[in-house]
Amino acid sequence: LRTAALVAAGAGLALVVAQRFVKVDLLGGMALFGIVMTLLGAGFAILFEDDRMIMLRSTILGGIAAGFFLTDGLLGGQYLGRRMMLYMPAQTLDPRRLSIGLGLSGLVLALLNWLVVEVATKDQWLFYTTFADMPVAIAGLLWALWYAKPRAQAA
């Protein structure tokens, strides 16, 4: 786990350095946010080798990411919301509401992971993160997209 985290962090930092020397936008969209989250994840992998902390890493990093999205949403969605819209097929979404929706979805995922860590065994947690986490994340994304659709104004 530690080696994989260090390799990912090194690749992210190499990408940031390479951006200075090439004309192609290597860090467009959400890449820089992904690099920051990868560096945080690598830091957790290096600092904590306890099984419980490894299981809680998704909760902690998910909470941090949700905090970034919720803060961006409260500030109008000018950074993360607008960049997330680059990946959406419908460009008519409200970036502020998209950031808030993604932040709330991330918060729910982080809380669910924490709940599973608290009440389940290590094998049950592994099953949850392998098979159940993704459908919940997809449902959260679909809800966030629905929430971000422009609403008709009442006359």
Side-chain angles (χ1 to χ4, degrees):
L1 186 61
R2 180 180 279 186
T3 303
L6 289 174
V7 168
L13 290 175
L15 194 60
V16 171
V17 171
Q19 179 63 65
R20 297 220 176 249
F21 301 106
V22 297
K23 291 182 181 180
V24 178
D25 185 14
L26 300 174
L27 300 175
M30 296 294 290
L32 193 56
F33 178 74
I35 291 169
V36 169
M37 292 307 294
T38 301
L39 291 173
L40 287 173
F44 277 102
I46 291 167
L47 291 174
F48 304 111
E49 293 204 19
D50 176 54
D51 283 348
R52 181 169 168 74
M53 286 307 295
I54 290 170
M55 293 184 339
L56 285 172
R57 187 173 75 157
S58 297
T59 298
I60 296 166
L61 291 175
I64 291 170
F68 283 144
F69 274 101
L70 289 170
T71 301
D72 182 61
L74 294 175
L75 297 175
Q78 295 302 311
Y79 184 76
L80 295 175
R82 291 226 184 272
R83 282 169 177 75
M84 278 302 291
M85 285 180 50
L86 297 173
Y87 301 100
M88 302 298 162
Q91 297 291 320
T92 58
L93 301 174
D94 179 359
R96 181 187 64 80
R97 291 176 68 91
L98 181 61
S99 287
I100 291 172
L102 290 172
L104 290 174
S105 296
L107 199 58
V108 166
L109 284 167
L111 289 173
L112 280 174
N113 186 73
W114 174 78
L115 185 66
V116 172
V117 169
E118 291 297 320
V119 301
T121 66
K122 184 177 175 182
D123 289 338
Q124 291 168 333
W125 170 83
L126 190 58
F127 179 85
Y128 168 77
T129 59
T130 304
F131 298 109
D133 196 35
M134 186 55 70
V136 175
I138 291 170
L141 173 64
L142 293 174
W143 175 82
L145 292 174
W146 172 83
Y147 179 73
K149 286 183 183 177
R151 306 284 183 242
Q153 299 294 328

